[in-house]
Amino acid sequence: MDTKYIFVTGGVVSSLGKGIISSSLARLLLSRGFKVTIQKFDPYINIDPGTLNPYEHGECYVTVDGHEADLDLGHYERFTNIRTSRANNITTGRIYQSVIDKERRGDYLGKTVQIIPHITDEIKRNVKLLGNTGKYDFVITEIGGTVGDIESLPFIESVRQLRWELGKKCICIHLTYVPYIRAAKELKTKPTQHSVKQLQSVGIQPDILILRTEKDIPAAMRRKVAQFCNVDPDSVIQSIDVPTIYEVPIKMHEQKLDEIILRKTDTPYSGEPDMAKWNQYLDKLRNAKETVKIGLVGKYVELQDAYKSINEALFQSATYEDHKLDLRYISSEKLTDANVDEALSPMDGIIVAPGFGQRGIEGKFVALKWCREHNVPTFGICLGMQCMVIEFARNVLGLADANSTEMDPKTAHNVIDLMEEQKSISNMGGTMRLGAYLCRLAEGSKVAQAYGTTQVEERHRHRFEFNNDYREAFEAHGMRCVGENPESHLVEVVEMPSKKWYIGTQYHPEYSSTVLNPHPLFVSFVKAAIDNKKK
Ligand code: GLN
């Protein structure tokens, strides 16, 4: 297959939404029947984001094959339904590690190992890895960071070289920012011109410019940008702020981004992309009148991106249930028995978030006790599920000191304990139980009803696990273990059948919820929250 490569770089400032643009473009090309994949190259030295604090780069996303990935891969999957993998996310750290390993093996035959050509060759090899499988018409590569950063230079240099090697099979999109100066009531294109100059100075002429803006950019101004930047006038596209990111593919198509790319890469095409289902979703989104209010109890409440996939999964499900989502972050660090009623009673449903470590943990127990006693739809995810188990052990089974050995290694009642396979591990990176595992669901359980099946595969990211020694006691007192790994017998799902909706999953269903396929457990939870609101 004649694979074409599309590179997406960013200029002026970070956080312009390269991931959303790449995802939107992928959506459009897929909807035209092309085979597409997207990958992200991150210029940091960490091998992967698995060891990063969420305050640094937001949520750590997990692929089916167990790679701890940048959260942009979540956008890729949500927009496209594509399943990404380890090969879709490369960091500077991975590139260097592989070059250094080769050097130690003697593969370079005594040569001096340098950034150019050895690092850039390794980058290029990785860029082409997915393309070389012959499975794709288009490989979209997003280069993290901003043009001009020291860190991204080797990546930009690799793009320059690839452009020469690939000729018309390669296209460069540069995303920049056009600020609106309120006092002068003017949009300013100077930062864009400078950013394109910077790209040109390292040998890359962008084919398409996408200008991120708060206000409509007049046609004359776009023509001016085209002229200054050596870009075709129809290839200067604006990306104006929209109410939701899911409108972006439509906005890009209105300006013919997909057609421009097909034309510039000499790719035969006809007709229009089939966006019928996508548009149905957007119609629901626009027409939703009522609101469902969900409280998310977690410790990263100031940071939107820390629970990105959960937010999006809730948002998608609410839309399919014809509701707007009102998502409130509730700081688990601040919750106490004295204020919990005030904080949680306005909510139609509660999610208790995943996480690591002691901070904010007691507030999660306070929240869960309240939820259980007030019979509010409650969804515990990963650490949230573990907290459900601990709270139940303390307050129903009467094991006052029950805990996870993550929080208290000496607890007498280790209802959550380190997994056997984790006991010998001391390295932090990529050593958790990661990726998709099979899970059998109990016939007739609420969770099996929600899925409409008793066999699912879901993604994991954890070291600790329900302690099966306590299983009988839990079951006897009303918390059932309704999901289990068929080989290891690890408990993956607990639920309280006596409650409206009280379910905890050791896995992360949020990672696999997409716009066109919202996750059945999130849909079921949101439905329960809506029913709860009506009552
Ligand atoms: N800290 C818990 C564990 O490692 C939960 C992890 C999570 O919530 N992702 O098992």
Side-chain angles (χ1 to χ4, degrees), residues 372 390-399 477-479 496:
R372 188 173 51 73
I390 296 165
E391 187 279 322
F392 191 90
R394 288 184 183 181
N395 298 322
V396 179
L397 304 185
L399 309 172
H477 288 83
M479 182 174 274
M496 290 188 68

Side-chain angles (χ1 to χ4, degrees), residues 354-356 381-383 386 406 461-464 506 508:
F356 295 83
I381 301 179
C382 206
L383 181 63
Q386 298 176 352
E406 178 179 7
R461 181 172 187 248
H462 63 125
R463 292 196 171 87
F464 296 82
Q506 183 57 76
H508 293 262

Side-chain angles (χ1 to χ4, degrees), residues 7 124 127-128 158-167:
F7 292 97
K124 281 157 59 184
V127 167
K128 291 200 261 184
S158 307
V159 174
R160 186 194 68 77
Q161 293 181 20
L162 281 166
R163 222 190 135 81
W164 275 100
E165 289 167 29
L166 295 164

Side-chain angles (χ1 to χ4, degrees), residues 186-252:
E186 265 184 277
L187 286 161
K188 292 292 182 189
T189 61
K190 189 74 52 128
T192 294
Q193 295 172 38
H194 279 298
S195 170
V196 172
K197 279 224 173 76
Q198 200 152 26
L199 202 52
Q200 288 165 339
S201 75
V202 288
I204 296 177
Q205 169 59 49
D207 303 283
I208 296 170
L209 291 177
I210 300 183
L211 313 179
R212 183 70 195 273
T213 176
E214 276 174 67
K215 302 236 177 230
D216 192 60
I217 305 175
M221 190 174 261
R222 279 191 248 172
R223 277 198 299 276
K224 186 179 101 182
V225 172
Q227 200 172 35
F228 272 113
C229 300
N230 301 337
V231 174
D232 293 332
D234 72 345
S235 304
V236 178
I237 287 173
Q238 71 173 352
S239 173
I240 196 158
D241 288 357
V242 277
T244 94
I245 52 175
Y246 301 126
E247 302 255 5
V248 177
I250 306 300
K251 293 282 167 210
M252 292 299 109

Side-chain angles (χ1 to χ4, degrees), residues 62-64 83 433-439 441 447 451 455-461 485 492-493 505-513 519-522:
V62 179
T63 60
V64 169
R83 288 294 173 243
R433 180 168 179 247
L434 289 165
Y437 287 89
L438 198 62
C439 175
L441 303 173
V447 71
Y451 278 102
Q455 189 146 307
V456 295
E457 255 188 62
E458 294 282 6
R459 299 179 215 184
H460 295 252
R461 181 172 187 248
N485 180 287
E492 315 282 34
V493 190
T505 61
Q506 183 57 76
Y507 52 74
H508 293 262
E510 69 274 22
Y511 291 144
S512 46
S513 191
H519 194 286
L521 261 189
F522 276 91

Side-chain angles (χ1 to χ4, degrees), residues 166-434:
L166 295 164
K168 275 216 129 181
K169 287 195 289 185
C170 172
I171 207 154
C172 294
I173 301 178
H174 189 53
L175 176 64
T176 74
Y177 181 50
V178 175
Y180 178 72
I181 310 293
R182 227 159 274 281
K185 295 199 175 57
E186 265 184 277
L187 286 161
K188 292 292 182 189
T189 61
K190 189 74 52 128
T192 294
Q193 295 172 38
H194 279 298
S195 170
V196 172
K197 279 224 173 76
Q198 200 152 26
L199 202 52
Q200 288 165 339
S201 75
V202 288
I204 296 177
Q205 169 59 49
D207 303 283
I208 296 170
L209 291 177
I210 300 183
L211 313 179
R212 183 70 195 273
T213 176
E214 276 174 67
K215 302 236 177 230
D216 192 60
I217 305 175
M221 190 174 261
R222 279 191 248 172
R223 277 198 299 276
K224 186 179 101 182
V225 172
Q227 200 172 35
F228 272 113
C229 300
N230 301 337
V231 174
D232 293 332
D234 72 345
S235 304
V236 178
I237 287 173
Q238 71 173 352
S239 173
I240 196 158
D241 288 357
V242 277
T244 94
I245 52 175
Y246 301 126
E247 302 255 5
V248 177
I250 306 300
K251 293 282 167 210
M252 292 299 109
H253 179 60
E254 279 168 11
Q255 299 170 83
K256 302 193 167 31
L257 175 65
D258 45 334
E259 274 181 60
I260 294 169
I261 283 173
L262 294 167
R263 223 173 50 227
K264 284 190 192 283
T265 54
D266 280 343
T267 310
Y269 69 97
S270 63
E272 292 288 312
D274 177 7
M275 296 293 280
K277 278 204 172 138
W278 193 271
N279 279 318
Q280 271 166 23
Y281 173 82
L282 290 179
D283 279 342
K284 274 185 171 285
L285 192 61
R286 291 183 199 115
N287 295 330
K289 301 231 156 38
E290 294 203 51
T291 300
V292 57
K293 210 175 204 179
I294 306 289
L296 186 147
V297 178
K299 64 178 168 182
Y300 297 109
V301 284
E302 336 63 7
L303 190 75
Q304 286 192 52
D305 277 354
Y307 305 114
K308 193 79 198 167
S309 295
I310 294 179
N311 299 356
E312 296 306 311
L314 286 170
F315 186 81
Q316 292 152 2
S317 302
T319 308
Y320 278 102
E321 293 304 312
D322 298 304
H323 276 65
K324 287 190 179 40
L325 174 69
D326 181 359
L327 180 61
R328 302 289 172 97
Y329 286 7
I330 298 164
S331 168
S332 54
E333 279 185 285
K334 297 198 181 116
L335 276 183
T336 61
D337 285 322
N339 63 22
V340 64
D341 197 64
E342 193 190 339
L344 301 194
S345 55
M347 305 298 156
D348 306 319
I350 299 289
I351 291 225
V352 181
F356 295 83
Q358 176 67 36
R359 183 162 74 85
I361 198 87
E362 292 299 325
K364 289 188 173 173
F365 301 140
V366 169
L368 285 164
K369 179 166 188 279
W370 188 93
C371 290
R372 188 173 51 73
E373 289 174 351
H374 290 76
N375 198 6
V376 172
T378 308
F379 196 173
I381 301 179
C382 206
L383 181 63
M385 171 269 199
Q386 298 176 352
C387 288
M388 276 181 162
V389 167
I390 296 165
E391 187 279 322
F392 191 90
R394 288 184 183 181
N395 298 322
V396 179
L397 304 185
L399 309 172
D401 62 345
N403 215 331
S404 163
T405 48
E406 178 179 7
M407 317 306 160
D408 177 6
K410 293 202 185 76
T411 173
H413 295 290
N414 53 343
V415 290
I416 301 291
D417 201 4
L418 192 63
M419 276 178 283
E420 208 41 53
E421 73 220 45
Q422 291 286 326
K423 291 188 175 154
S424 57
I425 293 172
S426 56
N427 251 0
M428 291 299 267
T431 53
M432 280 185 252
R433 180 168 179 247
L434 289 165

